[in-house]
Amino acid sequence: MSRSGSTPDRLEHWLFLLKKVCVLIGSIALVILVATFGWLVFGRYVLNQTPTWVEQLALLLICYITFLGAAVGIHEETHLGVTVLRDALPPKVKQVLLLLTDLCLAVFGGVMLVASLELFQFGWSTLLPMLNVPESIRTAAAIACGALMVIFAGARFLLRSRFALRGEIYEIKKEN
């Protein structure tokens, strides 16, 4: 059955673009991280003056790289899981387990989003040392991850549910 131009295809396309934006931001953060550590080494050993802000910036960048990478892992279905039993089950039972997994991931993302929003509000008045930016800038990465988990896993749950109601099995398309 061809789904080109259908609602699932358009949704998958937008989710793919959102994933690409996450990968781009994470990649830029990684490049900045490497460059700042290069500056740290240059400053320490050539200029004999260690830039003290590098550690705090590195921690901030690691948060974004990690949380965005985790969200991309949800989209790509590369999160850790033991699939031996699930893969051995009949297709209908496997489909139910996949639906349950997507639902659990979306709920977890929602809880993470709400808890991170509270942490964001709490940390707004505290500044990160050496960077003089609110602590909440670091927490924003967790907010983004929670929201993206809800979007990615929730959309996949809806798509799988739609196909399951028609007696079909939903296969995720991998765009290049």
Side-chain angles (χ1 to χ4, degrees):
M1 173 178 173
S2 175
R3 298 185 320 200
S4 79
S6 65
T7 301
D9 280 343
R10 288 193 301 271
L11 179 58
E12 285 176 352
H13 176 72
W14 284 108
L15 293 173
F16 176 77
L17 291 177
L18 185 58
K19 180 208 66 150
K20 288 298 238 186
V21 168
C22 292
V23 169
L24 178 66
I25 293 170
S27 299
I28 290 169
L30 188 58
V31 168
I32 293 170
L33 180 69
V34 170
T36 56
F37 272 103
W39 178 251
L40 173 74
V41 171
F42 180 77
R44 179 177 291 161
Y45 295 108
V46 176
L47 302 177
N48 202 25
Q49 192 160 8
T50 303
T52 55
W53 52 268
V54 170
E55 181 182 354
Q56 288 299 319
L57 181 61
L59 289 172
L60 179 66
L61 292 171
I62 290 290
C63 286
Y64 279 90
I65 293 166
T66 303
F67 281 118
L68 291 175
V72 168
I74 297 296
H75 179 269
E76 295 289 313
E77 291 192 304
T78 56
H79 50 280
L80 183 61
V82 180
T83 62
V84 174
L85 177 64
R86 184 189 73 199
D87 292 344
L89 294 171
K92 298 285 184 185
V93 178
K94 180 179 175 180
Q95 186 175 29
V96 170
L97 289 177
L98 288 171
L99 279 166
L100 226 120
T101 301
D102 291 336
L103 182 61
C104 288
L105 286 170
V107 168
F108 178 81
V111 170
M112 183 178 177
L113 174 63
V114 170
S116 298
L117 282 169
E118 290 176 17
L119 191 58
F120 183 86
Q121 291 172 340
F122 176 75
W124 190 255
S125 59
T126 307
L127 297 178
L128 287 173
M130 305 298 168
L131 296 179
N132 292 325
V133 296
E135 172 73 36
S136 295
I137 298 298
R138 188 178 292 161
T139 311
I143 293 170
C145 181
L148 289 165
M149 285 176 71
V150 169
I151 291 168
F152 290 146
R156 193 170 47 239
F157 174 80
L158 293 174
L159 288 170
R160 278 195 174 122
S161 297
R162 180 180 181 199
F163 278 79
L165 290 173
R166 287 196 252 148
E168 300 173 12
I169 295 185
Y170 174 72
E171 295 292 329
I172 295 172
K173 291 183 179 180
K174 303 287 184 187
E175 293 192 36
N176 294 328

